[in-house]
Amino acid sequence: MLHRCMPLLAFLIVARIVDGGTVVTADMLNARSFGVGRSQITLSAKSEYELLSYNISSAGTQATITHWWITGGPLGNWTPGPTATIADYAVWRFYVDGESTASVQLQTSQAAFVGNADPSAPWDNDFFGKNSAYGGWHIDVPVPFLKSIRVTLQLPPWAADNIAFAMVRGVENLPATIGAFTLPPNARLVASVQNASLPPLQFHDLIVIPAGTPGLMLGAMIDMTLYGKFAGNTNSLEGCWHAYEPPTATYPGWLLGTGAEDYPESAYYFNAGPYRGPTSGLTVWNISAELSRISFYKLHHRDPVFFRDGFRFSWRNGDVSDPATGQKCTSINGNVVGVPTAANVTTLVYAYTW
């Protein structure tokens, strides 16, 4: 049964302490929590399972999904350590305000900014985490809406039917917040998933927001597979990160990273190894001579990236230095740094527009 909490009494304050000590309070008399939990549901690749269908009440003017969680049965046999479960691969869909096609559609591990469905645990931050060796994923990326929300789960085409446990919760009359910033009521979550095969020195756009659209970028994740004779050198990580406003702005735009690993707040080819922090992380680092897997993320709730006239965010597979200055990231043509290799990438960017 869908749970709806009674309006809060005057002495109960709905508040959340966010970075910087800002207190965000909902309307004490009109705020109302809602949500649902399901135990031992059967998920299938053949159809969507409707987990939640919710319409804002007559007293509501806006609402925000604040929490989604899932665990499930194993893929194969249980093992003593972290084990892949069907929950890692389940696909969440969020149909906002009567959409016929879900504007947000994400695999669980991908939604938590983890590449290759890596089951390592436990770890946690402000927006997602995994606190069990077997599933136990939670995502707290806000999904705001004005009228209604419908949330479904489905397995990928290759998966056999399996058991899952899932929950989703939200609050009416609570605006979405990112760090110390309260988003406007008409804010919408954009989850841009892109897949690409990149030859060396190819640029890859992770997200393109049309000109004239304001908003902010919450964060980005890249999951890359480097392959070929020199994949083990990981020189593709020399690639720089470029932000453009408007999206048609000319190269080099605004540099958000002078190398792949610089953007998620590391350096020197991630030489300290994997980490999962509150604002950045390296979740996968499997390096071999001819096939390397790397996945990392960066969050901007403490380091806001706002835009007013659309936005484009791009990464290059490897890079060059300017022959005149020796600097990277400033020239499309120049001296190739190292020997970058071909890469298959899956990327996800969370942004909000209004």
Side-chain angles (χ1 to χ4, degrees):
M1 178 181 293
L2 178 65
H3 171 68
R4 301 189 183 193
C5 290
M6 294 296 290
L8 299 176
L9 299 177
F11 59 87
L12 293 178
I13 300 177
V14 177
R16 181 156 66 92
I17 306 299
V18 295
D19 296 309
T22 302
V23 179
V24 179
T25 48
D27 185 318
M28 290 188 299
L29 296 179
N30 291 324
R32 176 163 62 181
S33 293
F34 62 89
V36 68
R38 292 284 184 260
S39 173
Q40 293 178 297
I41 57 176
T42 299
L43 298 184
S44 172
K46 301 181 180 68
S47 61
E48 297 176 57
Y49 177 91
E50 185 176 277
L51 182 60
L52 173 72
S53 180
Y54 184 80
N55 296 310
I56 292 180
S57 71
S58 58
T61 59
Q62 61 181 313
T64 302
I65 295 294
T66 56
H67 180 75
W68 9 320
W69 171 92
I70 190 170
T71 195
L75 294 175
N77 297 320
W78 293 116
T79 62
T83 300
T85 75
I86 200 63
D88 308 353
Y89 298 92
V91 177
W92 294 79
R93 292 187 179 91
F94 292 81
Y95 297 84
V96 177
D97 292 337
E99 293 172 333
S100 57
T101 301
S103 55
V104 177
Q105 177 174 318
L106 295 167
Q107 177 183 296
T108 302
S109 55
Q110 181 185 69
F113 274 7
V114 173
N116 199 29
D118 183 82
S120 299
W123 61 274
D124 211 335
N125 63 36
D126 287 348
F127 290 96
F128 30 71
K130 186 176 185 292
N131 294 315
S132 171
Y134 313 136
W137 299 90
H138 78 84
I139 296 101
D140 297 333
V141 174
V143 185
F145 59 101
L146 290 174
K147 297 178 181 178
S148 65
I149 192 84
R150 182 169 169 258
V151 183
T152 70
L153 287 165
Q154 188 173 12
L155 298 186
W158 52 263
D161 291 3
N162 209 321
I163 297 297
F165 304 72
M167 295 184 289
V168 62
R169 292 195 290 272
V171 184
E172 277 194 19
N173 292 322
L174 179 72
T177 59
I178 299 299
F181 305 98
T182 300
L183 304 186
N186 64 332
R188 288 293 174 268
L189 174 62
V190 178
S192 174
V193 179
Q194 305 293 331
N195 297 288
S197 295
L198 305 177
L201 304 183
Q202 178 70 43
F203 287 93
H204 170 67
D205 288 341
L206 286 77
I207 189 170
V208 179
I209 302 292
T213 305
L216 67 82
M217 179 170 69
L218 170 58
M221 178 274 284
I222 185 167
D223 180 23
M224 65 176 73
T225 300
L226 308 179
Y227 57 94
K229 183 177 180 181
F230 298 102
N233 68 24
T234 65
N235 289 158
S236 290
L237 295 178
E238 293 289 346
C240 301
W241 298 85
H242 303 265
Y244 300 91
E245 182 189 355
T248 54
T250 57
Y251 177 91
W254 170 27
L255 282 177
L256 291 187
T258 54
E261 76 277 29
D262 303 350
Y263 174 59
E265 303 164 330
S266 185
Y268 296 104
Y269 287 44
F270 294 111
N271 64 0
Y275 62 101
R276 290 175 170 85
T279 60
S280 59
L282 171 66
T283 59
V284 178
W285 181 256
N286 297 323
I287 308 302
S288 63
E290 296 189 5
L291 186 70
S292 294
R293 294 295 307 269
I294 305 168
S295 184
F296 55 88
Y297 68 87
K298 168 72 175 112
L299 288 162
H300 289 283
H301 57 302
R302 300 179 183 176
D303 165 29
V305 176
F306 284 93
F307 49 88
R308 293 185 294 179
D309 189 18
F311 184 72
R312 179 164 60 94
F313 189 41
S314 180
W315 175 72
R316 193 177 195 182
N317 178 22
D319 226 303
V320 303
S321 60
D322 187 325
T325 66
Q327 295 181 345
K328 264 192 346 177
C329 316
T330 60
S331 179
I332 293 178
N333 300 307
N335 299 321
V336 180
V337 181
V339 186
T341 57
N344 290 332
V345 301
T346 296
T347 58
L348 167 62
V349 171
Y350 283 126
Y352 292 88
T353 60
W354 50 83

